[in-house]
Amino acid sequence: IEEGAKNMAFLRQRSNSLGLDLAATTEGFKQFSGAMIGTSLEGQATRDIFDGVNVAASVMGLGAEDAKGSFLALSQMMGKGKVSAEELRGQLGERIPGAFNIAARAMGMTTAELDKMMSEGKLIAEDFLPKFSDELKKTFGPGLDKSVNSAQANLNRFNNTMLELKLSLGRTLLPVVNSVMSAFKKGFQFLKNN
């Protein structure tokens, strides 16, 4: 429960500061963190990697579906234990332009060397993902000032506030609604039996 509370606080804070959609960010994190359970990247390392991808998503103005797709690709890498060209070039590369070149820089090698390492099945996800995340932050970090103040970022913040309001109202009103519904059920049962 404590780790879940840390994760929600992290997601709220980073969604707000980066101007990302909280619902989509939470969904992506749920999928991604599930793939990290039982690995050396569980916990804070998961949040750090997730944050690197979100920095890139914010600067590039990725929509919610593209951001979720990026996390699906990373989850699949982690699930397989190895990074394949399908996930890196295909799924991730379609959403984060230049992902392959960023990955090569992250690993300190040329794209040809990276390609060879992947084809031999030697690019281990647990080693790759933290480095890739750090390189995403280096690459896209300088563009954050502009992206976090964009119209889309501000619209996402507004939508996040509305979502939080709905959730808060739901938690407050749910007991009242439940008791009213219970009373209606009892009244209906009484009328039906008499």
Side-chain angles (χ1 to χ4, degrees):
I1 295 176
E2 185 178 320
E3 192 66 22
K6 279 184 192 176
N7 289 339
M8 265 327 288
F10 163 76
L11 291 170
R12 283 185 175 111
Q13 189 277 326
R14 291 308 281 163
S15 292
N16 186 51
S17 66
L18 295 174
L20 299 172
D21 180 270
L22 178 60
T25 301
T26 302
E27 188 63 33
F29 185 80
K30 183 173 66 173
Q31 179 181 55
F32 183 61
S33 64
M36 299 298 199
I37 292 173
T39 72
S40 65
L41 301 177
E42 190 173 0
Q44 185 60 46
T46 297
R47 290 186 289 273
D48 292 341
I49 296 165
F50 191 79
D51 196 48
V53 176
N54 278 328
V55 166
S58 177
V59 172
M60 290 188 307
L62 291 186
E65 288 306 310
D66 281 334
K68 281 173 43 179
S70 297
F71 291 113
L72 173 63
L74 296 175
S75 299
Q76 289 173 343
M77 289 175 194
M78 201 62 207
K80 292 178 182 176
K82 297 178 182 176
V83 180
S84 73
E86 176 189 341
E87 285 98 14
L88 183 56
R89 275 201 169 115
Q91 295 174 17
L92 199 57
E94 288 173 11
R95 291 163 176 90
I96 301 175
F100 193 74
N101 290 329
I102 293 167
R105 284 196 310 271
M107 298 305 292
M109 54 182 65
T110 67
T111 53
E113 291 169 329
L114 180 66
D115 199 36
K116 182 178 185 217
M117 190 177 195
M118 277 193 312
S119 68
E120 293 173 353
K122 294 181 180 175
L123 187 56
I124 307 303
E126 281 187 68
D127 180 45
F128 169 74
L129 291 178
K131 293 175 183 176
F132 182 66
S133 173
D134 289 344
E135 190 61 35
L136 285 172
K137 288 177 185 176
K138 287 180 198 169
T139 301
F140 293 102
L144 265 180
D145 283 343
K146 183 178 179 184
S147 70
V148 299
N149 294 308
S150 70
Q152 184 60 54
N154 286 321
L155 178 62
N156 286 341
R157 284 185 192 96
F158 174 77
N159 289 337
N160 292 346
T161 301
M162 292 294 103
L163 176 62
E164 291 283 349
L165 179 63
K166 287 178 196 175
L167 292 173
S168 179
L169 283 172
R171 282 189 295 270
T172 303
L173 295 177
L174 189 58
V176 174
V177 170
N178 284 340
S179 68
V180 168
M181 292 305 291
S182 180
F184 276 132
K185 273 184 169 177
K186 287 178 184 174
F188 182 72
Q189 281 295 75
F190 176 76
L191 290 174
K192 185 177 171 186
N193 292 333
N194 292 323

